[in-house]
Amino acid sequence: MKQLLNAFIAIAVISVILYVSINQLNSSQGYSSGNTLTIYNWGDYVDPELIDRFEKETGIKVIYQTFDSNEAMMTKISQGGTTFDVAMPSEYAISKMKEDGLLIPLDHSKLPNLKNIDARFMDLSFDPGNQYSIPYFWGTVGIVYNPDMVKGKKITSWNDLWDPEMKNKILLADGAREVMGMGLNSLGYSLNDTNEAHLQEAKAKLNTLTPNVKAIVGDEIKMLLANEEAAAGVVWSGDASEIMGENEKLDYVVPEEGSNLWFDNMVIPKTAANREGAHQFINFMLEPDVAAQNAEYVGYSTPNKEALAILPEEISGDERFYPDAETTEKLEVYDNLGKKMLAHYNELFLEFKMHRK
Amino acid sequence: MRKNSKLSNLYLVLVFAILYAPIFYLMYYSFNSGGTMREFEGFTLDWYKEVFQDTRLLIIVLNTLIIALLSSAISTIIGVLGALAITYVKRRRTKNTLLTLNNVLIVSPDVIIGASFLILFTMIGIKLGFTSVLLSHIAFSVPIVVIMVLPKLEEMSSSLVDAARDLGASRREVLTKVVLPYITPGIFAGFFMALTYSLDDFAVTFFVTGNGFSTLSVEIYSLARQGISLTINALSTLIFLVTILLVVGYYFITQRNNRVKGVAIRK
């Protein structure tokens, strides 16, 4: 009994010490109650220095919370119980959140820096008039390849993946829209195509790709490509920049037939408690020098025209991540196809996955 | 026979090597100045420095620890009481029903437990954060404690209690002087099981964190999109070392206790 009591006393003492040190750490950062703002973002998706700067400039304390998928974030927001003031969903999630009434309209008069965003990235199909969302970062879907392993061949298009030389050398990201989009694009169709004949044609074409496909994988695709386990991989440009950061041999290309253009966006969820602060934060992130610093830290492409001008030439001049107007023209944003069509895409993708070599 | 034991030793070494390899691999790269897990470029302690400079990460680690300690302590108390109650139920059918219900909670998937807690907490208006995480950790730890304590209680012969009663012990004395000391090893085992469950739980915690409160598992998981930096390697190494120290400490304490008991018997 004494032993048990001692153990419990020890636990209580340790807990108190921990509690005190948490408070100490919190207050050392100036975290006291009062004016706070909760940011709900992907892990490590903003430069921490910028958050410090924002806190100093406005006196608002920022709580940075992270999520790992759009779906998880939507669940948390729709359930309530937390007060997220700003969130950063991807574009397809925005139309869904809009439909579910999870977002509040933005007050553009409080966002004077909105003028810095490139007109190309405004007023897109998923949010006409940018009523609910402001682009945060953008990118493409393309091919990462290893020049050594494709024998010096230059990959420029989706159709290069069908080359018999590539037998068992290709990795695909596990996304129905991405892979189906690749099939549609390679045939010259739009990746938002809903024409049944075109979809079947795309699937039939994808089936002929199976001998070349080594695996269809999730996030581990980054590690596999960096470790040279495969010659080429279909990935998002954000992943590509990371993979190339780890293995400089690799190269990235946006296929010439066209591809997907994706966005992560800043929105204000309906759970927001500090709407004034949320607008302040969004406006702060749109400032040219802030956006530039953030783009350098995160490594994704910024939609901020003024920030692009400040960024070093080696970043802004990199056509792989800031493609020229001609390539951008061919890029398409995913439309919200509706539940039924999306299920159909998923089904076709599943059939492709099950197709025997 | 000898050859056989050599073979089995080899097998044992192999199994342990496989079990520990990933951990040592991770620890090795925490000293890498290169910044990735691909090539070892040179020795550095920068990542450790970064761990201690990242206040946000430190707060999260401390949160994780305090939740683990508190939830396992509280669930140990509840679990021991529960185990006592189950042993004192005399009707076989009721007892089996209670045990089965307890086991269902252990085997039910974390995701489902987590989602149900999220719905429950938001429905009754508990704000997500420290309280919600603590409550859900207690909830999934209690059945584990019960399972760890029950065998000790079953093993205890009822004549011990009868003898104590005969010698004039009150109900309370029977509990504190006979039953609890007897099942102490079970209680500690339950506590440590609950502690490890709480430390590494992702699925349940993920659903119920919020309002600036987060634990290590949730944080590391959401870092995955950007690629996990070697800071996490350094942090994991530190945590692994602390765990080893705790286990070794626990081992020596039990060793000493056994020796003391042994001496007493010889007398």
Side-chain angles (χ1 to χ4, degrees):
Chain A
M1 190 62 197
K2 220 176 132 202
Q3 209 185 348
L4 281 178
L5 272 180
N6 284 342
F8 269 93
I9 291 167
I11 292 165
V13 170
I14 296 172
S15 302
V16 170
I17 294 173
L18 285 174
Y19 182 73
V20 170
S21 38
I22 290 174
N23 275 348
Q24 205 106 67
L25 280 175
N26 269 332
S27 59
S28 79
Q29 290 205 317
Y31 280 9
S32 56
S33 58
N35 200 359
T36 62
L37 186 74
T38 313
I39 311 287
Y40 203 27
N41 200 348
W42 304 83
D44 205 19
Y45 206 37
V46 65
D47 187 345
E49 271 175 33
L50 290 174
I51 294 206
D52 288 346
R53 190 172 133 193
F54 177 74
E55 286 179 332
K56 265 196 213 105
E57 278 179 18
T58 58
I60 298 174
K61 161 201 166 195
V62 172
I63 301 171
Y64 186 74
Q65 275 214 283
T66 53
F67 58 84
D68 70 306
S69 73
N70 284 300
E71 289 66 28
M73 180 236 2
M74 282 191 263
T75 316
K76 268 285 180 70
I77 287 177
S78 64
Q79 274 297 329
T82 48
T83 55
F84 299 118
D85 297 307
V86 180
M88 275 78 164
S90 308
E91 82 288 320
Y92 74 92
I94 288 182
S95 26
K96 183 141 195 306
M97 290 174 87
K98 241 170 26 184
E99 270 168 33
D100 296 350
L102 297 180
L103 301 178
I104 62 169
L106 300 172
D107 183 348
H108 285 215
S109 68
K110 287 182 187 155
L111 304 169
N113 285 331
L114 200 56
K115 63 176 192 307
N116 297 337
I117 299 276
D118 198 326
R120 279 191 294 165
F121 303 126
M122 296 286 285
D123 196 22
L124 293 165
S125 62
F126 58 89
D127 185 20
N130 286 72
Q131 230 188 328
Y132 295 94
S133 68
I134 307 290
Y136 182 59
F137 280 116
W138 65 277
T140 51
V141 172
I143 306 168
V144 164
Y145 68 98
N146 188 333
D148 293 355
M149 292 171 82
V150 294
K151 294 176 191 146
K153 198 168 156 278
K154 211 160 162 49
I155 290 185
T156 55
S157 73
W158 290 123
N159 281 311
D160 289 336
L161 295 178
W162 268 266
D163 191 327
E165 286 270 298
M166 301 289 278
K167 196 168 165 56
N168 209 22
K169 281 186 182 169
I170 298 172
L171 294 176
L172 298 180
D174 191 2
R177 290 296 303 263
E178 284 69 30
V179 175
M180 283 302 293
M182 171 177 98
L184 287 164
N185 276 155
S186 74
L187 290 164
Y189 300 131
S190 155
L191 43 70
N192 291 315
D193 210 321
T194 51
N195 183 326
E196 183 58 33
H198 293 176
L199 287 174
Q200 290 301 340
E201 203 182 326
K203 203 203 93 188
K205 172 132 197 218
L206 283 174
N207 282 346
T208 61
L209 182 67
T210 39
N212 290 359
V213 177
K214 188 169 183 182
I216 300 173
V217 285
D219 267 340
E220 60 273 33
I221 195 166
K222 289 189 264 182
M223 190 197 73
L224 291 172
L225 284 167
N227 291 348
E228 307 190 357
E229 299 278 345
V234 175
V235 296
W236 290 272
S237 59
D239 287 353
S241 74
E242 241 175 82
I243 297 167
M244 284 153 58
E246 282 197 31
N247 189 339
E248 279 155 21
K249 254 192 257 167
L250 304 181
D251 207 355
Y252 176 73
V253 62
V254 181
E256 58 194 14
E257 296 104 327
S259 181
N260 166 236
L261 180 67
W262 56 260
F263 285 93
D264 285 337
N265 310 271
M266 295 184 273
V267 300
I268 304 184
K270 65 155 197 221
T271 53
N274 188 354
R275 294 185 183 189
E276 189 57 44
H279 279 94
Q280 259 176 292
F281 182 79
I282 294 178
N283 195 44
F284 172 77
M285 290 314 289
L286 294 176
E287 266 173 45
D289 61 320
V290 173
Q293 188 182 337
N294 204 28
E296 241 180 294
Y297 178 86
V298 176
Y300 286 20
S301 313
T302 177
N304 197 314
K305 187 169 73 211
E306 301 296 321
L308 203 59
I310 308 177
L311 278 171
E313 173 64 24
E314 61 180 51
I315 296 180
S316 57
D318 192 337
E319 290 214 344
R320 295 172 300 191
F321 297 109
Y322 292 98
D324 54 24
E326 195 192 332
T327 320
T328 342
E329 196 113 304
K330 289 189 197 134
L331 297 175
E332 286 175 278
V333 180
Y334 289 137
D335 285 342
N336 186 7
L337 298 176
K339 241 183 193 163
K340 232 173 121 191
M341 203 61 209
L342 197 64
H344 188 52
Y345 263 69
N346 281 330
E347 203 176 303
L348 290 172
F349 178 54
L350 189 66
E351 280 173 27
F352 160 63
K353 282 209 261 190
M354 292 191 300
H355 186 265
R356 292 221 166 230
K357 289 185 185 180
Chain B
M1 191 66 205
R2 255 200 92 116
K3 215 176 158 191
N4 224 344
S5 82
K6 236 185 201 166
L7 213 70
S8 65
N9 277 343
L10 191 74
Y11 175 73
L12 207 63
V13 169
L14 206 75
V15 167
F16 272 97
I18 292 171
L19 287 179
Y20 276 87
I23 299 175
F24 285 124
Y25 181 71
L26 174 142
M27 289 165 80
Y28 175 67
Y29 278 102
S30 73
F31 299 106
N32 181 12
S33 61
T36 64
M37 297 258 291
R38 264 171 43 75
E39 267 166 85
F40 196 87
E41 287 178 14
F43 180 85
T44 177
L45 285 176
D46 283 357
W47 305 112
Y48 290 88
K49 245 181 262 160
E50 217 163 279
V51 169
F52 288 104
Q53 276 163 2
D54 190 345
T55 330
R56 203 177 95 82
L57 194 63
L58 279 185
I59 292 176
I60 290 172
V61 173
L62 293 181
N63 280 342
T64 315
L65 291 178
I66 201 165
I67 284 285
L69 281 174
L70 283 181
S71 72
S72 41
I74 297 172
S75 55
T76 308
I77 297 172
I78 301 176
V80 169
L81 293 178
L84 284 170
I86 291 180
T87 15
Y88 289 124
V89 168
K90 284 288 164 274
R91 261 188 72 198
R92 233 199 137 66
R93 253 184 79 178
T94 332
K95 196 171 184 168
N96 277 338
T97 317
L98 284 173
L99 264 177
T100 315
L101 286 177
N102 188 58
N103 290 345
V104 167
L105 283 179
I106 291 180
V107 294
S108 53
D110 279 0
V111 215
I112 290 172
I113 297 182
S116 352
F117 272 118
L118 175 65
I119 294 166
L120 176 74
F121 288 144
T122 49
M123 206 171 68
I124 59 178
I126 293 182
K127 271 199 125 192
L128 297 182
F130 179 79
T131 329
S132 62
V133 176
L134 183 69
L135 285 177
S136 48
H137 278 219
I138 292 173
F140 71 69
S141 300
V142 167
I144 298 158
V145 176
V146 171
I147 276 288
M148 301 301 279
V149 173
L150 261 184
K152 272 279 160 196
L153 276 171
E154 311 262 287
E155 181 190 285
M156 187 175 76
S157 107
S158 58
S159 51
L160 263 179
V161 178
D162 294 340
R165 296 287 280 172
D166 283 345
L167 291 168
S170 67
R171 283 192 93 117
R172 209 181 129 209
E173 278 169 325
V174 170
L175 184 68
T176 57
K177 298 226 161 93
V178 180
V179 179
L180 282 183
Y182 191 88
I183 61 171
T184 298
I187 295 177
F188 275 112
F191 173 78
F192 282 110
M193 273 306 259
L195 196 69
T196 50
Y197 260 72
S198 166
L199 278 178
D200 77 358
D201 177 76
F202 166 74
V204 176
T205 320
F206 167 77
F207 283 99
V208 293
T209 46
N211 293 314
F213 187 87
S214 179
T215 68
L216 203 55
S217 53
V218 177
E219 183 64 21
I220 292 181
Y221 205 81
S222 54
L223 280 178
R225 191 196 190 201
Q226 280 280 304
I228 294 167
S229 88
L230 292 187
T231 323
I232 298 300
N233 287 35
L235 182 64
S236 314
T237 308
L238 290 176
I239 293 175
F240 182 71
L241 288 182
V242 171
T243 333
I244 287 213
L245 281 181
L246 282 180
V247 173
V248 170
Y250 180 69
Y251 172 78
F252 277 114
I253 290 171
T254 47
Q255 279 293 73
R256 206 189 59 197
N257 283 348
N258 285 346
R259 223 176 300 140
V260 171
K261 259 183 220 152
V263 171
I265 288 165
R266 235 175 284 151
K267 256 185 194 171

